Amino acid sequence: GNATPPPSGLSYPSPQSFTVGTAATAISPTVSGTVSSYAVSPALPEGLSLNASTGQISGTPTIVAAANSYAVTASNSGGSTTFSLSISVLPAAPASLSYPGTGPFPVGVAITPLSPTVTGTVTGYSVSPTLPAGLAINATTGVISGTPTGSSAATSYLITAQGPGGSTTFSVSLSVQSPPPSGLFYANPQTFVVHTPITPIGPGIAGSVVGYSVSPSLPEGLSLNPNTGVISGTPTALTSRGNYIISATNSGGQTFFA
């Protein structure tokens, strides 16, 4: 009888890259001639298999594998043909990234570092937009730390954890507040003369102040500058001695002086 001609021209799409825990898209061979069986050497990465009848490679890889060449052989009674297929298996993409909840941070105080929780292999972290001045993210560990140098409104920062198998993101809201002002003080008590302009009285204060206010209203003719806290004017009526509560406020809180 006539000898069967050996198969020829075996090929697979190559190279192939799979991901741990993700079912591989099955890859099938192209070949000329009849094939009675397929074999591969060395063994495919754990979780992948070669169908000995069809030559199709499929499965869900379970371990990371560096790029390697696998010789697939298609045989029949007349002989065989071989193709060298490159396969690598990447770690699973990182997932479930999160950071702890964060209240407002005070200006000038080192924050308790914020550490990420994540699954999978991460090769680097990045953040967008740029974190508030004085804070930074460690590109290797993802830890956010530092001492904020200026106030910033609550803003969402998108953190990306990148791995060889893909990336995942988490949005963290951070805000930085000025520390409340403190130590508000005016020379006290004060006695003024009707119809005589007073020497303006300025406050002593520690910290930044956005505005000043007073309660109850100052005696007629006197006013409090809401920006500077300076009291000035010319009293127009006699008043008995009274206590006035002055408050100095910023984004972090307020302080009072009576």
Coordinates of all heavy atoms in Angstrom, one line a residue, residues 140-211:
T140 N 6.4 52.0 45.1 CA 6.6 50.6 45.2 C 5.5 50.0 46.2 O 5.0 48.9 45.9 CB 8.0 50.3 45.8 OG1 8.9 50.9 44.9 CG2 8.3 48.8 45.9
T141 N 5.3 50.7 47.3 CA 4.4 50.1 48.4 C 3.0 50.6 48.3 O 2.1 50.0 48.9 CB 5.0 50.4 49.8 OG1 4.9 51.8 50.0 CG2 6.4 49.9 49.9
G142 N 2.8 51.8 47.7 CA 1.5 52.4 47.6 C 1.1 53.2 48.9 O 0.0 53.7 49.0
V143 N 2.1 53.3 49.8 CA 1.8 54.0 51.1 C 1.8 55.5 50.8 O 2.7 56.0 50.2 CB 2.8 53.6 52.2 CG1 2.6 54.5 53.4 CG2 2.6 52.1 52.6
I144 N 0.7 56.2 51.3 CA 0.7 57.6 51.2 C 1.1 58.2 52.6 O 0.6 57.8 53.6 CB -0.8 58.1 50.9 CG1 -1.2 57.6 49.5 CG2 -0.9 59.6 51.0 CD1 -2.7 57.8 49.2
S145 N 2.1 59.2 52.5 CA 2.6 59.7 53.8 C 3.1 61.1 53.5 O 3.1 61.6 52.4 CB 3.7 58.9 54.4 OG 4.8 58.8 53.5
G146 N 3.5 61.8 54.6 CA 4.0 63.1 54.5 C 3.4 64.1 55.5 O 2.6 63.7 56.3
T147 N 3.7 65.4 55.3 CA 3.2 66.4 56.2 C 2.6 67.5 55.3 O 3.3 68.2 54.5 CB 4.3 67.1 57.0 OG1 4.9 66.1 57.9 CG2 3.8 68.2 57.9
P148 N 1.3 67.6 55.3 CA 0.6 68.6 54.4 C 1.1 70.0 54.7 O 1.2 70.4 55.8 CB -0.9 68.4 54.6 CG -1.0 67.6 55.8 CD 0.3 66.9 56.1
T149 N 1.4 70.8 53.6 CA 1.9 72.1 53.8 C 0.9 73.2 53.6 O 1.2 74.4 53.9 CB 3.1 72.4 52.9 OG1 2.7 72.2 51.6 CG2 4.2 71.4 53.2
G150 N -0.2 72.9 53.0 CA -1.3 73.9 52.8 C -2.6 73.3 52.7 O -2.8 72.1 52.6
S151 N -3.7 74.1 53.0 CA -5.0 73.5 53.0 C -5.5 73.2 51.6 O -5.1 73.8 50.6 CB -6.0 74.5 53.7 OG -6.0 75.7 53.0
S152 N -6.3 72.2 51.5 CA -6.9 71.8 50.2 C -8.3 71.2 50.4 O -8.5 70.5 51.4 CB -6.0 70.9 49.4 OG -6.0 69.6 50.0
A153 N -9.2 71.6 49.6 CA -10.6 71.1 49.7 C -10.6 69.6 49.5 O -9.7 69.0 48.8 CB -11.5 71.8 48.7
A154 N -11.7 68.9 49.9 CA -11.8 67.5 49.7 C -11.8 67.2 48.2 O -12.6 67.8 47.4 CB -13.1 67.0 50.3
T155 N -10.9 66.3 47.8 CA -10.7 66.0 46.4 C -10.6 64.5 46.3 O -10.0 63.8 47.2 CB -9.4 66.7 45.8 OG1 -9.6 68.1 46.0 CG2 -9.2 66.4 44.4
S156 N -11.1 63.9 45.2 CA -10.9 62.5 44.9 C -9.6 62.3 44.2 O -9.4 62.9 43.1 CB -12.1 61.9 44.1 OG -13.2 61.8 45.0
Y157 N -8.8 61.3 44.7 CA -7.5 61.0 44.0 C -7.6 59.5 43.6 O -8.0 58.7 44.4 CB -6.4 61.2 45.0 CG -6.2 62.6 45.4 CD1 -6.9 63.1 46.6 CD2 -5.5 63.5 44.7 CE1 -6.8 64.4 46.9 CE2 -5.3 64.8 45.1 CZ -6.0 65.3 46.2 OH -5.9 66.6 46.5
L158 N -7.4 59.3 42.3 CA -7.5 58.0 41.7 C -6.2 57.3 41.8 O -5.2 57.7 41.2 CB -8.0 58.0 40.2 CG -8.3 56.7 39.6 CD1 -9.6 56.1 40.3 CD2 -8.5 56.8 38.1
I159 N -6.1 56.2 42.5 CA -4.9 55.5 42.7 C -4.9 54.2 41.9 O -5.9 53.5 41.9 CB -4.6 55.1 44.2 CG1 -4.5 56.5 45.0 CG2 -3.4 54.3 44.4 CD1 -4.5 56.3 46.4
T160 N -3.9 54.0 41.1 CA -3.8 52.8 40.2 C -2.7 51.9 40.7 O -1.6 52.3 40.9 CB -3.5 53.3 38.8 OG1 -4.5 54.1 38.3 CG2 -3.4 52.1 37.8
A161 N -3.1 50.6 40.9 CA -2.1 49.6 41.2 C -1.9 48.8 39.9 O -2.8 48.2 39.4 CB -2.6 48.7 42.3
Q162 N -0.6 48.8 39.4 CA -0.3 48.2 38.1 C 0.4 46.9 38.4 O 1.4 46.9 39.2 CB 0.6 49.1 37.3 CG 1.0 48.6 35.9 CD -0.2 48.5 35.0 OE1 -0.9 49.5 34.8 NE2 -0.3 47.4 34.3
G163 N 0.0 45.8 37.7 CA 0.8 44.6 37.9 C 1.1 44.0 36.5 O 0.6 44.6 35.5
P164 N 1.9 43.0 36.4 CA 2.2 42.4 35.1 C 1.0 41.9 34.4 O 0.9 41.9 33.2 CB 3.2 41.3 35.4 CG 3.1 41.1 36.8 CD 2.6 42.3 37.5
G165 N -0.1 41.5 35.2 CA -1.3 41.0 34.6 C -2.4 42.0 34.4 O -3.5 41.6 34.0
G166 N -2.1 43.3 34.7 CA -3.2 44.3 34.5 C -3.1 45.3 35.6 O -2.1 45.3 36.3
S167 N -4.2 46.0 35.8 CA -4.2 47.1 36.8 C -5.6 47.2 37.4 O -6.6 46.7 36.9 CB -3.8 48.4 36.2 OG -4.8 48.9 35.3
T168 N -5.7 47.8 38.6 CA -6.9 48.1 39.3 C -6.8 49.5 39.9 O -5.7 49.9 40.2 CB -7.3 47.0 40.3 OG1 -8.6 47.2 40.9 CG2 -6.3 47.0 41.4
T169 N -8.0 50.1 40.2 CA -7.9 51.5 40.7 C -8.8 51.6 41.9 O -9.7 50.7 42.2 CB -8.4 52.5 39.7 OG1 -9.8 52.2 39.3 CG2 -7.5 52.5 38.4
F170 N -8.6 52.6 42.7 CA -9.4 53.0 43.9 C -9.3 54.5 44.0 O -8.3 55.1 43.9 CB -8.8 52.3 45.2 CG -9.7 52.6 46.4 CD1 -10.9 51.9 46.6 CD2 -9.2 53.5 47.3 CE1 -11.6 52.2 47.7 CE2 -10.0 53.8 48.5 CZ -11.2 53.1 48.7
S171 N -10.5 55.0 44.4 CA -10.6 56.5 44.5 C -10.6 56.8 46.0 O -11.5 56.3 46.7 CB -11.8 57.0 43.8 OG -11.8 58.4 43.8
V172 N -9.7 57.6 46.5 CA -9.6 58.0 47.9 C -9.8 59.5 48.0 O -9.3 60.3 47.2 CB -8.3 57.6 48.5 CG1 -7.1 58.2 47.9 CG2 -8.3 57.9 50.0
S173 N -10.7 60.0 48.9 CA -10.9 61.4 49.1 C -10.1 61.9 50.2 O -10.1 61.4 51.4 CB -12.4 61.6 49.5 OG -12.6 63.0 49.7
L174 N -9.3 63.0 50.0 CA -8.4 63.6 50.9 C -8.7 65.1 51.0 O -8.9 65.7 50.0 CB -6.9 63.4 50.6 CG -6.4 62.0 50.3 CD1 -5.0 62.0 49.9 CD2 -6.5 61.2 51.6
S175 N -8.6 65.6 52.2 CA -8.7 67.1 52.4 C -7.8 67.5 53.5 O -7.4 66.7 54.4 CB -10.2 67.5 52.8 OG -10.5 67.0 54.0
V176 N -7.3 68.7 53.4 CA -6.3 69.3 54.4 C -6.9 70.6 54.9 O -7.3 71.5 54.1 CB -4.9 69.5 53.7 CG1 -4.0 70.1 54.8 CG2 -4.4 68.2 53.1
Q177 N -7.0 70.7 56.2 CA -7.6 71.9 56.8 C -6.5 72.7 57.6 O -5.6 72.1 58.2 CB -8.7 71.6 57.8 CG -10.0 71.2 57.1 CD -11.1 71.0 58.2 OE1 -10.8 70.8 59.3 NE2 -12.3 70.9 57.7
S178 N -6.6 74.0 57.5 CA -5.7 74.8 58.4 C -6.1 74.4 59.9 O -7.2 74.2 60.2 CB -6.0 76.3 58.2 OG -5.8 76.7 56.9
P179 N -5.1 74.5 60.8 CA -5.4 74.3 62.2 C -6.3 75.5 62.6 O -6.1 76.6 62.1 CB -4.1 74.3 62.9 CG -3.1 74.8 61.9 CD -3.6 74.7 60.6
P180 N -7.2 75.3 63.5 CA -8.0 76.4 64.0 C -7.1 77.5 64.5 O -6.1 77.2 65.1 CB -8.9 75.9 65.0 CG -8.6 74.5 65.2 CD -7.6 74.1 64.2
P181 N -7.5 78.8 64.4 CA -6.7 79.8 65.0 C -6.8 79.7 66.5 O -7.7 79.0 67.1 CB -7.4 81.1 64.6 CG -8.8 80.8 64.1 CD -8.7 79.3 63.7
S182 N -5.8 80.3 67.2 CA -5.8 80.1 68.7 C -5.2 81.4 69.3 O -4.6 82.2 68.7 CB -5.0 78.9 69.1 OG -3.7 79.1 68.7
G183 N -5.5 81.5 70.6 CA -4.9 82.6 71.4 C -5.4 84.0 71.0 O -4.6 85.0 71.1
L184 N -6.6 84.1 70.6 CA -7.2 85.4 70.3 C -7.2 86.3 71.5 O -7.6 85.9 72.6 CB -8.6 85.3 69.7 CG -9.3 86.6 69.3 CD1 -8.6 87.3 68.2 CD2 -10.8 86.3 68.9
F185 N -6.7 87.6 71.4 CA -6.6 88.4 72.5 C -6.7 89.9 72.1 O -6.2 90.3 71.1 CB -5.2 88.2 73.2 CG -5.0 89.1 74.4 CD1 -5.6 88.9 75.6 CD2 -4.2 90.3 74.2 CE1 -5.4 89.8 76.7 CE2 -4.0 91.1 75.3 CZ -4.6 90.9 76.5
Y186 N -7.5 90.7 72.9 CA -7.5 92.1 72.8 C -7.1 92.7 74.1 O -7.5 92.2 75.2 CB -8.9 92.6 72.4 CG -9.3 92.3 71.0 CD1 -9.9 91.1 70.6 CD2 -9.2 93.3 70.0 CE1 -10.2 90.8 69.3 CE2 -9.6 93.0 68.7 CZ -10.1 91.8 68.4 OH -10.5 91.5 67.1
A187 N -6.5 93.9 74.1 CA -6.2 94.6 75.3 C -7.6 94.9 76.0 O -8.5 95.3 75.3 CB -5.5 95.9 75.0
N188 N -7.7 94.7 77.3 CA -9.0 94.6 77.9 C -8.9 94.9 79.4 O -7.9 94.5 80.0 CB -9.5 93.1 77.7 CG -11.0 92.9 78.2 OD1 -11.8 93.7 77.7 ND2 -11.2 92.0 79.0
P189 N -9.8 95.7 80.0 CA -11.0 96.3 79.4 C -10.6 97.6 78.7 O -9.5 98.1 78.9 CB -11.9 96.6 80.7 CG -10.9 96.8 81.8 CD -9.7 95.9 81.5
Q190 N -11.6 98.1 77.9 CA -11.4 99.4 77.2 C -12.5 100.4 77.6 O -13.6 100.0 77.8 CB -11.5 99.1 75.7 CG -10.5 98.2 75.1 CD -9.2 98.9 74.8 OE1 -9.1 100.2 74.8 NE2 -8.1 98.2 74.5
T191 N -12.0 101.6 77.8 CA -13.0 102.7 78.0 C -12.8 103.8 77.0 O -11.7 104.2 76.7 CB -12.7 103.3 79.4 OG1 -12.8 102.3 80.4 CG2 -13.7 104.4 79.7
F192 N -13.9 104.2 76.3 CA -13.8 105.2 75.3 C -14.6 106.4 75.6 O -15.4 106.4 76.6 CB -14.4 104.6 74.0 CG -13.8 103.3 73.5 CD1 -14.5 102.2 73.3 CD2 -12.4 103.2 73.4 CE1 -13.9 101.0 72.9 CE2 -11.8 102.0 73.0 CZ -12.6 100.9 72.8
V193 N -14.3 107.5 74.9 CA -15.0 108.8 75.2 C -15.9 109.1 74.0 O -15.5 109.0 72.8 CB -14.0 109.9 75.3 CG1 -14.7 111.3 75.6 CG2 -13.0 109.6 76.5
V194 N -17.2 109.5 74.3 CA -18.2 109.8 73.3 C -17.6 110.9 72.3 O -17.0 111.8 72.8 CB -19.5 110.2 73.9 CG1 -20.4 110.8 72.8 CG2 -20.2 109.0 74.6
H195 N -17.8 110.7 71.0 CA -17.5 111.7 70.0 C -16.0 111.9 69.8 O -15.6 112.8 69.2 CB -18.2 113.1 70.3 CG -19.7 113.0 70.4 ND1 -20.4 112.3 69.5 CD2 -20.5 113.4 71.4 CE1 -21.7 112.4 69.9 NE2 -21.8 113.1 71.0
T196 N -15.2 111.0 70.4 CA -13.8 111.0 70.2 C -13.3 109.8 69.5 O -13.6 108.7 70.0 CB -13.0 111.1 71.6 OG1 -13.5 112.2 72.3 CG2 -11.5 111.2 71.4
P197 N -12.7 109.9 68.3 CA -12.3 108.7 67.6 C -11.4 107.9 68.5 O -10.5 108.4 69.1 CB -11.5 109.3 66.4 CG -12.0 110.7 66.2 CD -12.4 111.2 67.6
I198 N -11.6 106.6 68.5 CA -10.7 105.7 69.3 C -9.4 105.4 68.5 O -9.4 105.4 67.3 CB -11.5 104.4 69.7 CG1 -11.6 103.4 68.5 CG2 -12.8 104.7 70.3 CD1 -12.0 102.0 68.9
T199 N -8.4 105.0 69.3 CA -7.2 104.5 68.7 C -7.6 103.0 68.3 O -8.0 102.3 69.2 CB -6.0 104.4 69.7 OG1 -5.8 105.8 70.2 CG2 -4.8 103.9 69.1
P200 N -7.4 102.7 67.0 CA -7.8 101.3 66.6 C -7.1 100.3 67.4 O -6.0 100.4 67.8 CB -7.4 101.3 65.1 CG -7.4 102.7 64.7 CD -7.0 103.5 65.9
I201 N -7.9 99.2 67.8 CA -7.4 98.1 68.6 C -7.3 96.9 67.7 O -8.3 96.4 67.2 CB -8.3 97.8 69.8 CG1 -8.8 99.1 70.5 CG2 -7.7 96.9 70.8 CD1 -10.1 98.9 71.3
G202 N -6.1 96.3 67.6 CA -5.9 95.1 66.8 C -5.8 93.9 67.7 O -5.4 94.0 68.9
P203 N -6.2 92.7 67.2 CA -6.1 91.5 68.0 C -4.7 90.9 68.0 O -3.9 91.1 67.1 CB -7.1 90.6 67.2 CG -6.9 91.0 65.8 CD -6.7 92.5 65.8
G204 N -4.4 90.1 69.0 CA -3.3 89.1 69.0 C -3.9 87.8 68.6 O -5.0 87.4 69.1
I205 N -3.3 87.0 67.7 CA -3.9 85.8 67.2 C -2.7 84.9 66.7 O -1.7 85.4 66.2 CB -4.9 86.0 66.1 CG1 -5.6 84.8 65.7 CG2 -4.2 86.7 64.9 CD1 -6.8 84.4 66.6
A206 N -2.9 83.6 66.9 CA -2.0 82.6 66.3 C -2.7 81.8 65.3 O -3.9 81.4 65.5 CB -1.4 81.7 67.4
G207 N -2.1 81.6 64.1 CA -2.7 80.8 63.0 C -3.3 81.8 62.0 O -3.4 83.0 62.2
S208 N -3.8 81.2 60.9 CA -4.4 82.0 59.9 C -5.9 82.2 60.2 O -6.6 81.3 60.8 CB -4.3 81.2 58.5 OG -5.0 80.0 58.6
V209 N -6.4 83.4 59.8 CA -7.8 83.7 60.0 C -8.5 84.1 58.7 O -8.0 84.9 58.0 CB -7.9 84.9 61.1 CG1 -9.4 85.3 61.3 CG2 -7.3 84.5 62.4
V210 N -9.7 83.6 58.5 CA -10.4 83.9 57.3 C -11.4 85.1 57.6 O -11.6 86.0 56.8 CB -11.3 82.7 56.8 CG1 -12.2 83.1 55.7 CG2 -10.3 81.6 56.4
G211 N -11.9 85.2 58.8 CA -12.8 86.2 59.2 C -13.0 86.4 60.6 O -12.8 85.5 61.4

